[in-house]
């Protein structure tokens, strides 16, 4: 998928449409994002209802930005909504996640919530800037929350001005439930 339209919609040349189409089958799928600011106006994008493998690549974290605005402004991405789907693999590179404002649920992750059994979520050369959790909108991970198991790998990423004023992890929160395996890898 090649995404060049920065508006929010379900066409496969738009971010939401490409992610939903890719998430509908196992893959592997590659999504290439052009330079620009991709503004989500229809709420968070939810993927990971089935095992899948998706790689999303931007031009650079200063040129490819995912943000949200308007009445439906919320978390940017929810990967594996139930947290129980195994083998959801999503990789992001060269993208800035900016202005996520979790207010829709109590689970955390101002920009992204992910995790589940044997899940793999990877970020390389990304920026998380100005993401937060609203009062009553969760208590963990102002920018990023991975709960429920799996691998979270963060390589050469920058976290600035992210907030979780009511709980833990202003930037990042990683949690393993009892009897769930996973690992956290962070490299600068």
């Amino acid at each position: 998928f090649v995404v060049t339209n920065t508006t929010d919609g379900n066409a496969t040349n738009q971010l939401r449409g490409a992610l939903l189409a890719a998430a509908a089958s196992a893959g592997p799928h590659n999504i290439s994002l052009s330079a620009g600011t991709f503004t989500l106006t229809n709420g968070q994008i939810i993927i990971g209802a089935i095992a899948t493998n998706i790689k999303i690549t931007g031009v650079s974290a200063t040129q490819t930005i995912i943000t949200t605005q308007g009445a439906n402004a919320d978390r940017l991405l929810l990967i594996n909504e139930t947290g129980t789907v195994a083998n959801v693999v999503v990789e992001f590179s060269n993208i800035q996640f900016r202005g996520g404002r979790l207010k829709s649920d109590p689970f955390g992750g101002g920009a992204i919530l992910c995790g589940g059994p044997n899940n793999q979520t990877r970020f390389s050369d990304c920026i998380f800037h100005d993401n937060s959790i609203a009062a009553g909108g969760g208590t963990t991970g102002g920018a990023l929350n991975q709960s429920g198991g799996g691998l979270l790998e963060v390589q050469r990423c920058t976290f600035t001005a992210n907030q979780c004023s009511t709980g833990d992890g202003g930037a990042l929160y990683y949690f393993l439930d009892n009897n769930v395996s996973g690992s956290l890898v962070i490299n600068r």
Side-chain angles (χ1 to χ4, degrees):
F1 301 91
V2 177
V3 178
T4 56
N5 186 334
T6 61
T7 62
D8 194 7
N10 292 321
T12 57
N13 70 337
Q14 296 172 299
L15 176 60
R16 182 181 302 274
L19 278 168
L20 294 177
S25 65
H29 300 286
N30 290 305
I31 298 174
S32 177
L33 303 180
S34 67
T37 300
F38 296 84
T39 303
L40 304 179
T41 57
N42 297 317
Q44 66 186 335
I45 299 173
I46 300 173
I47 62 171
I50 63 169
T52 191
N53 187 326
I54 304 171
K55 181 177 182 180
I56 305 103
T57 306
V59 173
S60 78
T62 58
Q63 296 179 59
T64 302
I65 300 164
I66 301 173
T67 190
T68 185
Q69 72 178 29
N72 292 319
D74 203 342
R75 176 192 294 125
L76 304 175
L77 295 163
L78 175 53
I79 303 168
N80 194 349
E81 183 175 20
T82 64
T84 60
V85 178
N87 302 311
V88 176
V89 178
V90 184
E91 180 178 337
F92 299 93
S93 60
N94 301 317
I95 299 170
Q96 182 174 155
F97 302 94
R98 181 172 69 197
R101 302 276 184 263
L102 174 61
K103 60 183 179 182
S104 62
D105 62 54
F107 302 115
I112 298 172
L113 173 62
C114 54
N118 299 316
N119 284 203
Q120 298 176 32
T121 312
R122 293 184 169 91
F123 299 90
S124 60
D125 303 300
C126 292
I127 296 172
F128 291 83
H129 177 71
D130 192 33
N131 300 286
S132 64
I133 298 176
T139 60
T140 54
L144 176 59
N145 178 327
Q146 178 152 333
S147 298
L151 167 69
L152 174 60
E153 186 174 310
V154 180
Q155 305 281 344
R156 299 173 309 280
C157 294
T158 303
F159 291 80
T160 58
N162 300 288
Q163 299 178 29
C164 179
S165 60
T166 60
D168 300 321
L172 184 147
Y173 182 83
Y174 182 83
F175 179 73
L176 288 177
D177 296 324
N178 294 332
N179 302 317
V180 176
S181 64
S183 59
L184 171 64
V185 177
I186 300 175
N187 288 312
R188 181 75 175 117

